[in-house]
Amino acid sequence: MTALTIAGLTLREAMRRRVVWALLALTVVLLALSAWGFSKLVGLDSELGTMTSGEARLVASLLLNLIMFGLSLIAAIGTAFLAGPTLAGEVESGQALAILARPVRRSAVLLGKWLGLIAFGGGYVILAGLAEILVVRVAVGYWPPSPTAGLALLAAQTVVLLTLALLLSSVVSPMASGIIAVGLFGATWVAGVVGGIGGALGNEGVERVGTVSRIILPTDGLWRGAMNAFQDPFALVQMGPGEGGFPFLSEAPLTPAYLAWAAVWIAVIWGLTALSFQRRDV
Amino acid sequence: MGSADAATVRGVTSDATTASAAAELAALPPSPAVWCSGLRKRYGRRTAVDDVSFSVARGEVLGLLGPNGAGKTSVIKMLLGLVRPDAGEVLLLGRRSTDPRSRVAVGYLPELFRYQPWLTPTEVLDLHVRLSRVDVPRDERRECLALVGLAERSGDRVGGFSKGMQQRLGLAVALVARPELVVLDEPTSALDPIGRVDVRDLVLSLKSRGVAVLLNSHLIGEVERVCDRVVILDQGRVAASGTLAELLGQREVRLRLDGVDDAAEDRLRAAGSTSRSGDWFTVQLTSDDDGVTVPDLVRDLVGRGVRVHAVEPVRISLEERLLGILRHDEPEVAIR
């Protein structure tokens, strides 16, 4: 009950503070640019000779993944910078005093914040992602193999990042927590790319960098799962084995074990945040 | 009607022993609004609160006084479960403060008051009513806003409010969920003189409705006017506590007399210890004086032929008393 009230409040804050409108404007720009780009792609035949249908699908897969990465980046930055101030900022400003003096459990307040942020961040990724898939469909007629799974994994990636930002914001200052969360998100992605290159070169040591970083922070792992769901199954074959390290193609779908690990990771980080918030003097 | 009937039937058929137990429970005096014992809090090396114990009875107005940094706000936050005490226990309205339900009937205006700037006052009150899980009808919420003078601004965003108006909103938040205990931490810090009078009237009206109030204020005059009892904190400890009459101690009366003989002096001493300076006599009255000592004394003096030129009560203000206690130039007061 408390959690739902707080979740509703968090969503209302996002609406009233015009975060939603800023995101919407940014997304519309990205979608329009991608529609323009994809429609040009169809006209490429005349300059480079005729693209085979397989080539066209490969390029569409790559570009779709690239744009999805852009969307997930927007969502990551948006939620990370929203998650930090929402908890720590309210404690700092004194807004939390009146709320926490009510007959509420702190864990319920935290759960409410978390649910509200998930609904916001996850909802954004799913809606914007779906819009982009439709844009690609209209522009070049490409439809990804499993869009639902892909969008769900993108949303999961957002959940991971905002859970981390919430934990950080209960330890460091609100602004720093947003910066650290986005920084870690970027670092893991780079580590994933490095690992992919290592894999392509057959260097196990370098490959391990990606694997370890994917375990420590599951954003990159989930992102690779999402890419795999969006890309054309034959794209990799088309690219050839030597190009396996390419950052906007994923070699394999996610294993259930990795998904379970991501769930455990979220639960552990959430628990730590609840513990720290419970003990905190406001 | 159907459900009401069913409830009555259930009431009638319920076990007689539980009914008598409930009656016994109801006959017990209600637990105090606040009870705390041995509260202690350290921030790093600094001890903010050290062994603080006091209680606030139902319907009582207790003033918390003390200089800056005395630990008043820390004590209040520990009572409300906002700050974890290092030691000590707190009961709010009969429940341990670690149980969130202890705060169901508690209203709180923090010293640092800030409410969601993107909401309207009406929405802020709606939120707090929902969080309190108390069913307060819309009209009552509107009345609450009107009580603090925000009826006309009920649809505006809180973000555009002045400090004083936000504090008024804070008062409404503290009062909206039908509290049995209201904790006001510096409730007039941002208010104009009229606002201060409003708060005083508000506290008195709460008192008349049997709502307990814990008032932390720098304005001693305010405290003196509305509080039944006072707790004075200094350097995290209770320096003194008691009712105003107890704290202000013995009252004195000064008389300018003419023609005082030995018998008249004996009569004066019978009323209380007496000192003389010229024709002024100062008589210290005991704190349990029932108000007849002075008239009786004057009557007897006149009867003995003493000419009474003046009779002046000497009042010690709470401010003087407080300064005396905090500067440690008064004997230790330990009225509990």
Side-chain angles (χ1 to χ4, degrees):
Chain A
M1 176 62 192
T2 304
L4 288 182
T5 306
I6 299 290
L9 188 72
T10 309
L11 281 178
R12 188 144 55 153
E13 177 177 6
M15 298 290 236
R16 295 260 173 107
R17 280 189 183 276
R18 312 223 161 83
V19 178
V20 170
W21 307 118
L23 269 184
L24 201 66
L26 214 60
T27 311
V28 167
V29 170
L30 192 69
L31 289 179
L33 278 175
S34 71
W36 183 59
F38 275 108
S39 64
K40 287 283 165 199
L41 189 67
V42 182
L44 267 181
D45 309 279
S46 54
E47 286 166 34
L48 288 176
T50 318
M51 257 209 294
T52 62
S53 67
E55 279 167 345
R57 287 154 76 93
L58 170 65
V59 174
S61 287
L62 282 177
L63 287 181
L64 182 62
N65 278 347
L66 186 63
I67 288 154
M68 286 298 182
F69 184 72
L71 287 179
S72 80
L73 198 65
I74 293 175
I77 293 172
T79 50
F81 278 94
L82 204 64
T86 196
L87 200 63
E90 278 176 21
V91 170
E92 259 174 35
S93 73
Q95 257 181 51
L97 287 174
I99 297 222
L100 295 179
R102 289 293 170 195
V104 296
R105 289 192 184 281
R106 291 202 185 177
S107 52
V109 172
L110 180 69
L111 183 65
K113 284 273 167 213
W114 189 72
L115 287 176
L117 288 168
I118 282 184
F120 178 70
Y124 167 75
V125 167
I126 288 172
L127 288 180
L130 187 64
E132 178 58 34
I133 290 174
L134 291 174
V135 163
V136 173
R137 163 101 183 171
V138 171
V140 292
Y142 173 75
W143 187 253
S146 39
T148 318
L151 290 175
L153 287 172
L154 268 189
Q157 182 202 1
T158 313
V159 172
V160 164
L161 199 65
L162 75 85
T163 310
L164 178 69
L166 267 185
L167 172 67
L168 289 171
S169 81
S170 68
V171 188
V172 293
S173 80
M175 186 60 96
S177 72
I179 293 170
I180 295 175
V182 173
L184 283 176
F185 169 79
T188 321
W189 182 77
V190 170
V193 174
V194 169
I197 292 170
L201 298 176
N203 185 325
E204 274 182 30
V206 177
E207 194 176 2
R208 208 167 291 136
V209 172
T211 316
V212 170
S213 75
R214 246 166 262 158
I215 301 251
I216 294 173
L217 180 65
T219 47
D220 187 57
L222 292 169
W223 160 242
R224 284 175 176 273
M227 279 198 300
N228 194 271
F230 291 134
Q231 78 203 10
D232 187 77
F234 301 105
L236 269 180
V237 184
Q238 201 100 42
M239 286 286 274
E243 304 288 334
F246 193 73
F248 294 105
L249 284 179
S250 171
E251 291 176 46
L254 287 186
T255 58
Y258 188 79
L259 284 176
W261 164 244
V264 169
W265 189 94
I266 290 171
V268 168
I269 296 294
W270 198 94
L272 284 175
T273 312
L275 208 64
S276 134
F277 190 46
Q278 191 72 40
R279 303 182 68 86
R280 180 164 183 173
D281 291 340
V282 297
Chain B
M1 279 310 280
S3 67
D5 290 344
T8 325
V9 170
R10 232 176 289 136
V12 169
T13 54
S14 71
D15 198 355
T17 52
T18 45
S20 72
E24 242 169 67
L25 204 66
L28 284 174
S31 48
V34 177
W35 178 88
C36 67
S37 170
L39 286 182
R40 213 179 289 271
K41 181 72 187 177
R42 290 174 70 90
Y43 291 108
R45 275 189 180 169
R46 198 175 61 84
T47 302
V49 176
D50 191 9
D51 197 20
V52 167
S53 310
F54 63 89
S55 65
V56 185
R58 301 270 180 156
E60 184 182 43
V61 180
L62 181 91
L64 205 53
L65 287 174
N68 293 330
K72 300 178 304 260
T73 296
S74 292
V75 165
I76 285 179
K77 285 184 171 179
M78 282 192 270
L79 297 180
L80 295 167
L82 296 169
V83 164
R84 289 162 65 93
D86 296 331
E89 265 187 287
V90 177
L91 294 183
L92 288 184
L93 301 163
R95 280 180 194 274
R96 274 175 195 283
S97 67
T98 44
D99 178 357
R101 282 176 299 171
S102 67
R103 298 190 292 270
V104 166
V106 177
Y108 171 47
L109 168 68
E111 184 188 27
L112 184 62
F113 50 89
R114 226 181 107 86
Y115 300 89
Q116 291 70 14
W118 66 92
L119 293 180
T120 67
T122 311
E123 289 167 335
V124 171
L125 290 197
D126 292 349
L127 169 70
H128 281 267
V129 165
R130 221 172 306 142
L131 289 176
S132 310
R133 286 172 224 164
V134 180
D135 192 21
V136 180
R138 187 176 288 268
D139 284 347
E140 200 178 318
R141 291 179 223 172
R142 209 173 302 143
E143 270 168 37
C144 196
L145 274 183
L147 190 68
V148 298
L150 286 179
E152 273 137 52
R153 301 293 299 268
S154 61
D156 298 350
R157 293 272 168 95
V158 175
F161 278 19
S162 70
K163 275 260 172 210
M165 284 167 59
Q166 290 206 30
Q167 194 159 34
R168 284 169 179 273
L169 173 61
L171 281 168
V173 168
L175 300 177
V176 74
R178 295 188 190 147
E180 288 166 41
L181 164 68
V182 175
V183 179
L184 303 175
D185 198 350
E186 298 287 354
T188 56
S189 58
L191 296 185
D192 54 24
I194 298 171
R196 288 182 187 167
V197 176
D198 286 350
V199 169
R200 194 202 302 155
D201 293 345
L202 210 80
V203 172
L204 290 174
S205 97
L206 286 172
K207 183 169 147 182
S208 70
R209 293 190 341 238
V211 177
V213 179
L214 176 59
L215 175 68
N216 171 25
S217 177
H218 280 307
L219 300 174
I220 300 170
E222 202 171 79
V223 170
E224 198 170 4
R225 281 200 186 88
V226 299
C227 291
D228 301 311
R229 279 199 312 130
V230 172
V231 169
I232 298 175
L233 289 183
D234 186 27
Q235 295 172 0
R237 293 175 152 272
V238 177
S241 72
T243 63
L244 280 178
E246 284 170 338
L247 263 187
L248 299 180
Q250 299 137 323
R251 289 184 302 131
E252 292 176 343
V253 63
R254 263 162 40 106
L255 304 106
R256 192 157 81 84
L257 306 173
D258 207 3
V260 178
D261 54 12
D262 288 347
E265 278 206 44
D266 286 343
R267 178 60 191 89
L268 280 165
R269 272 192 286 277
S273 73
T274 308
S275 58
R276 178 176 183 171
S277 150
D279 50 0
W280 281 102
F281 293 78
T282 306
V283 180
Q284 294 203 339
L285 304 169
T286 51
S287 58
D288 55 357
D289 169 38
D290 49 5
V292 297
T293 313
V294 176
D296 286 359
L297 175 64
V298 172
R299 185 197 60 208
D300 292 351
L301 289 173
V302 171
R304 283 184 168 86
V306 175
R307 294 156 68 92
V308 178
H309 295 278
V311 181
E312 294 176 355
V314 182
R315 272 191 63 108
I316 306 168
S317 74
L318 183 57
E319 185 169 13
E320 288 165 319
R321 192 79 179 117
L322 180 71
L323 291 176
I325 290 166
L326 297 180
R327 286 176 183 151
H328 307 292
D329 51 28
E330 294 218 0
E332 189 72 19
V333 210
I335 311 149
R336 291 284 178 92

